[in-house]
């Protein structure tokens, strides 16, 4: 992978159950077969937290709003999408896809 800047992350998904959700895009180093600590760093983007309804389709876009260093990935880094359910302690299964708009630097 080459150095790049993440401009947008779009997710398309649905679930068979309702839930209150929070979203976060995070930088993560790509490591393989290592027992070193992996440090994640939150990337700055607009807030798309919301309450989803069962069996509805959703398309949500997170536009990166941080400066170029905040939302830049160097070679050897990737981003991950974290989704947290805030209305209960149980799990919720989401089905869908995630797409990113990147700019090579």
């Amino acid at each position: 992978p080459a150095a790049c800047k993440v401009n947008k992350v779009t997710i398309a998904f649905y679930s068979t159950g309702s839930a209150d959700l929070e979203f976060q895009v995070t930088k993560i180093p790509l490591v393989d077969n290592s027992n070193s600590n992996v440090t994640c760093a939150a990337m700055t983007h607009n807030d798309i937290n919301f309450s989803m309804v069962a069996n509805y389709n959703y398309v949500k876009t997170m536009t990166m709003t941080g400066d170029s260093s905040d939302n830049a990935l160097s070679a050897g880094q990737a981003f991950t999408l974290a989704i947290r359910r805030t209305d209960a302690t149980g799990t919720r299964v989401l089905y869908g896809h995630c797409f990113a708009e990147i700019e090579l630097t």
Side-chain angles (χ1 to χ4, degrees):
C4 66
K5 179 183 170 206
V6 180
N7 294 323
K8 292 181 182 179
V9 174
T10 300
I11 55 174
F13 64 96
Y14 77 96
S15 176
T16 57
S18 299
D20 292 334
L21 303 174
E22 288 183 344
F23 299 81
Q24 178 68 58
V25 178
T26 306
K27 290 183 197 185
I28 187 167
L30 296 175
V31 295
D32 181 36
N33 198 24
S34 171
N35 64 356
S36 298
N37 289 336
V38 175
T39 302
C40 298
M43 300 171 79
T44 307
H45 54 80
N46 63 307
D47 181 1
I48 66 161
N49 303 340
F50 76 106
S51 296
M52 65 177 290
V53 178
N55 301 314
Y56 274 70
N57 293 304
Y58 294 96
V59 177
K60 299 292 182 181
T61 298
M62 287 156 282
T63 301
M64 301 300 139
T65 57
D67 62 26
S68 59
S69 64
D70 181 45
N71 297 324
L73 300 176
S74 58
Q77 285 185 314
F79 77 85
T80 184
L81 175 64
I83 304 171
R84 180 174 77 141
R85 182 177 179 190
T86 62
D87 62 334
T89 56
T91 59
R92 176 65 56 221
V93 177
L94 301 179
Y95 303 92
H97 303 283
C98 178
F99 306 92
E101 175 187 300
I102 64 169
E103 179 180 332
L104 295 177
T105 54

